[in-house]
Amino acid sequence: MEKNQPDLNWEDLTFSYMPTDYNVRCTYRDGAWGPIEVSDSPEVNLSIAATCLHYGQESFEGLKAYRGKDGKVRIFRMEENAKRFIRSAEGTMMQPMPVELFCEMVRKVVKLNLRFVPPYGTGASLYIRPLEIGITARVGVKPATEYMVIMLVTPVGPYFKTGFKPMRVCISRDYDRVAPKGTGSIKVGGNYGASLVAGEKAHDLGYASLLYLDPKEKKYVDECGAANFFGVKDGTYVTPASPSILPSITNLSLRQLAEDMGLKVEQRHIPVEELSTFEEASACGTAAVCSPIAEIDDLDTGAKYVYTTTGEPGPVTTALYNKLRGIQWGEEPDEHGWCEILEED
Ligand SMILES: *Cc1c(COP(=O)(O)O)cnc(C)c1O
């Protein structure tokens, strides 16, 4: 364990921001990425005309580092985040950052903040948040020529304070997260801005989040708030194929683990009515791995899809959740080579 760790109640951490010692930054200017710079300031100095502030040239990523059972720090599948970060840059006309530079920044920001990596056994981990912004001053609608990538870290608790408990979600056709051929498949802040009203509405009605239907026909299941969706039935893991979904690295990993466990895996349209045929349903993403769903209420039709009444998640979701967390915490063999062990000196 790291010496001089901050005096934090690791077990009580929530998923929220806390300043740490350092962040790292890299600027693209005159056609090239500069050196990785280390900053101890939690602020950025930016032109008031920067394109990120006016025209949404912004994207982000989210991944975690875990202090394992063997005392080593593992970073989970960061090359996948690097590749997605490139697609997000391309989708907003920003400069893509090379995979190797992205990974170098991730390693560096974790190493600089090692004392904030939560101890093994607390359920907490170090959340890494990379972001890219256009920083050229413009008032005309045109992409910037200069970009900045910043990576910050913050220790976060297990997403579920009360444990791994199923939640209630709702369907409403009054809102879309993204447009049919819009920016749904890339990780940009604008998608989140556009989803806040619907998310608040769902919360006000007592739901954990809103299950979006496909924005074109409203016939198929799309995403569950800012997380992917999967259902389980007849030994099959089913997850939507849709151009308006953000390809989740957690979902990618769960599909592999499902296959390893002998389940069939299907990635295809899921008609809303099919929800009644699933034995289990869950959301998935980096923050919580799996957020099992107890019940889906369709606010427009009055239909209710109930997956558990005992407050316990189903066996397949539980097995997948335990397996993936086990790999991340070094408790299970990492057969697919998903974790990079950080060299600490
Ligand atoms: C980040 C994100 C996810 C989850 O992706 P992971 O790589 O599993 O963390 C799912 N949906 C949306 C809209 C997201 O932004």
Side-chain angles (χ1 to χ4, degrees), residues 202-239:
H203 288 158
D204 289 348
L205 294 172
Y207 296 98
S209 67
L210 193 125
L211 182 65
Y212 291 97
L213 301 186
D214 76 281
K216 190 169 179 196
E217 300 184 82
K218 312 254 180 179
K219 276 190 191 160
Y220 308 108
V221 175
D222 231 50
E223 285 216 64
C224 190
N228 277 189
F229 173 89
F230 70 86
V232 176
K233 66 171 178 187
D234 306 328
T236 308
Y237 177 104
V238 191
T239 192

Side-chain angles (χ1 to χ4, degrees), residues 9-24:
N9 281 327
W10 303 103
E11 276 92 355
D12 297 333
L13 289 178
T14 56
F15 196 82
S16 51
Y17 173 70
M18 165 191 308
T20 55
D21 290 334
Y22 301 101
N23 57 84
V24 295

Side-chain angles (χ1 to χ4, degrees), residues 84 177 187 192 223 226-228 246 248-251 284-286:
R84 194 168 65 187
R177 189 182 73 90
K187 207 166 174 79
Y192 278 70
E223 285 216 64
N228 277 189
L246 193 278
S248 151
I249 297 162
T250 311
N251 192 354
C284 63
T286 294

Side-chain angles (χ1 to χ4, degrees), residues 24-98:
V24 295
R25 307 172 185 210
C26 187
T27 305
Y28 181 89
R29 190 171 275 134
D30 302 325
W33 290 102
I36 301 175
E37 290 164 30
V38 176
S39 170
D40 59 7
S41 166
E43 289 169 10
V44 267
N45 208 346
L46 204 56
S47 165
I48 55 174
T51 62
C52 62
L53 299 177
H54 301 256
Y55 302 126
Q57 277 201 299
E58 191 273 353
S59 74
F60 70 99
E61 271 304 326
L63 65 161
K64 283 176 172 177
Y66 308 80
R67 175 73 70 184
K69 193 177 181 185
D70 54 5
K72 294 177 178 161
V73 174
R74 285 171 173 72
I75 306 173
F76 188 71
R77 301 195 84 169
M78 67 176 152
E79 296 79 14
E80 292 298 326
N81 295 91
K83 288 190 266 173
R84 194 168 65 187
F85 202 50
I86 289 174
R87 288 201 303 103
S88 298
E90 289 170 348
T92 46
M93 288 298 285
M94 298 198 291
Q95 183 64 34
M97 168 168 272

